[in-house]
Amino acid sequence: MKIIIAPDSFKGALRSPEVCEALKSGWLSRRSRDEVLTFPLADGGEGTCEALIKSTKGSLLQLRASDPLMRQITCCCGIAGDGRSAVMELAAASGIELLRKEELDPLKSTTYGSGEVMKFLLDQGGREFVLGIGGSATVDGGAGMLQALGAEFFDCSGKKLPPGIGGGDLKNIARISLEKLDSRLKECSIQVACDVTNPLLGAQGAAAVFGPQKGATPAAVVELEENLRHWAELCGGDPELPGSGAAGGVGFMLRTMLNARITSGAELVISRTGLDRALENAQLLITGEGCSDEQTACGKLPAVAAAHAVRYGVPVLLCSGAVTGNYRELEKIFDGVFSISNGALTLDEAISKSAENLYRTAANLAGVVSAFAKES
């Protein structure tokens, strides 16, 4: 049999390449003669860069950049296997995972480090960018990122604002100068991997929806909304376009200032991994994610992967860290829905046993297939 393993990461536990390895090892422990191909996937959030680089046999690169609070960290980006595509994710330098809970404050946090990563990739010759923008700790409208790429911001007295613009600093910008913006950006095409359709402003906008998740108090949400409105007026462009509110407004900045194209993160990653070619003569697809519920059926990565498998008549099994809510919605999409949890565990215990439980689940599934094969 030819088995395809194509999961998302299990957030807080394992990145998708590690999920692939656990599932593959478990399956082969019971069916060693099967052909098992792995396609680590992501949807634009944490793990997108690693998934694309590993699945396309590209090169991971490390650099020093600023975290959301302008502290120096080591982070990763890469060049995909085609040798042309520069791959990066906002979460690498501007991610919420980089901060402790008590440090979360979108009035202060900045995407400046993500601009540094992009500049580094420009230095490596990157001109075709694939940029995942999920998992950020910021609501700065992408101003920090633009600043690191050479844009200059001035207050009403004409004084240049210092590096590291955060969401609370947007109100201080009276003028934007793009005279020193990196000229190489004019040669670039930028594809943004994003499954968020929120506008920049309003009840469904970046401040109202994502601000609280990133540590904003109710008062801070109001301030961030006013600041983003001011930022939108300075930049021009349409803040109501779907995806403009993604990553605290980074979607708006990339589209308005850098002429980026926003596309489905799951579809973008799948299109670059060769998954469709592998599905043409496969007998089974196994996908998964950290937690599945009704929202999975509304276009999350496992559902997108399943839709691709259906085109080739390939059955799909979903293996998730936990399954909650209405199973019926998931059963409309997947041929089998499995939670890998084993017994009554705390969340921390379940996370620590993710690899072990994935291995065991895959081994059991392979055992069922073997038993069925004997009977038939």
Side-chain angles (χ1 to χ4, degrees):
M1 288 182 68
K2 180 181 178 182
I3 311 300
I4 308 298
I5 297 176
D8 199 349
S9 61
F10 279 41
K11 192 169 184 179
L14 301 171
R15 291 291 171 90
S16 53
E18 298 168 311
V19 177
C20 283
E21 185 55 36
L23 287 169
K24 179 179 179 178
S25 298
W27 186 276
L28 290 176
S29 72
R30 301 290 292 274
R31 292 183 60 85
S32 60
R33 294 184 179 181
D34 284 348
E35 179 186 9
V36 180
L37 302 181
T38 59
F39 292 84
L41 301 179
D43 61 4
E46 300 91 330
T48 295
C49 181
E50 185 177 5
L52 275 174
I53 294 302
K54 290 201 172 185
S55 61
T56 62
K57 296 180 172 60
S59 302
L60 274 174
L61 305 172
Q62 288 191 332
L63 73 151
R64 298 288 290 173
S66 304
D67 80 352
L69 298 179
M70 294 296 285
R71 301 172 299 203
Q72 286 293 292
I73 58 169
T74 299
C75 60
C76 291
C77 55
I79 302 295
D82 60 13
R84 301 187 307 273
S85 300
V87 184
M88 60 176 287
E89 59 185 57
L90 205 71
S94 308
I96 197 167
E97 290 185 346
L98 299 173
L99 303 181
R100 299 189 301 273
K101 185 176 181 180
E102 62 269 20
E103 293 179 324
L104 294 175
D105 185 353
L107 291 172
K108 296 179 180 178
S109 56
T110 179
T111 54
Y112 189 88
S114 293
E116 293 177 315
V117 175
M118 193 169 193
K119 199 170 184 69
F120 171 81
L121 285 167
L122 287 169
D123 293 340
Q124 308 308 306
R127 296 296 183 271
E128 297 179 14
F129 281 82
V130 177
L131 173 53
I133 61 172
S136 80
T138 57
V139 188
D140 70 349
M145 185 176 184
L146 191 66
Q147 190 180 34
L149 290 167
E152 295 179 311
F153 303 137
F154 299 88
D155 65 17
C156 58
S157 68
K159 181 181 178 181
K160 188 170 77 170
L161 298 176
I165 291 289
D169 301 314
L170 297 176
K171 62 180 177 291
N172 299 324
I173 304 174
R175 182 172 68 88
I176 302 172
S177 172
L178 301 181
E179 290 181 9
K180 296 183 181 179
L181 187 68
D182 197 311
S183 61
R184 296 172 294 182
L185 290 167
K186 296 177 182 178
E187 307 166 17
C188 295
S189 64
I190 304 173
Q191 274 192 295
V192 180
C194 173
D195 288 328
V196 169
T197 59
N198 301 67
L200 181 65
L201 305 171
Q204 297 302 312
V209 174
F210 304 116
Q213 300 172 13
K214 301 174 184 185
T217 64
V221 168
V222 173
E223 182 177 351
L224 288 166
E225 175 76 8
E226 293 174 353
N227 289 356
L228 287 172
R229 190 175 302 279
H230 172 65
W231 173 243
E233 291 171 354
L234 285 171
C235 294
D238 186 354
E240 297 304 312
L241 288 175
S244 292
V250 170
F252 170 77
M253 185 281 289
L254 290 170
R255 177 188 277 139
T256 303
M257 309 301 279
L258 300 183
N259 199 33
R261 181 162 60 92
I262 296 179
T263 188
S264 162
E267 289 288 2
L268 188 153
V269 172
I270 287 173
S271 71
R272 289 177 173 258
T273 60
L275 178 63
D276 280 337
R277 291 192 301 274
L279 286 168
E280 288 180 359
N281 57 352
Q283 281 73 55
L284 179 67
L285 170 69
I286 301 175
T287 186
E289 61 185 343
C291 183
S292 298
D293 55 21
E294 294 93 330
Q295 291 302 309
T296 297
C298 298
K300 291 178 72 175
L301 188 141
V304 175
H308 281 253
V310 167
R311 296 171 196 168
Y312 298 95
V314 179
V316 186
L317 303 181
L318 175 71
C319 296
S320 291
V323 182
T324 62
N326 190 347
Y327 261 85
R328 291 181 181 178
E329 292 303 312
L330 297 175
E331 289 168 347
K332 292 176 184 177
I333 298 172
F334 305 101
D335 296 284
V337 178
F338 302 91
S339 170
I340 67 169
S341 296
N342 184 19
L345 301 173
T346 66
L347 177 59
D348 287 342
E349 289 171 336
I351 287 174
S352 70
K353 293 180 178 293
S354 293
E356 174 186 335
N357 288 340
L358 283 163
Y359 178 98
R360 175 185 48 77
T361 301
N364 286 334
L365 290 172
V368 171
V369 169
S370 292
F372 178 80
K374 288 177 182 177
E375 291 181 4
S376 56

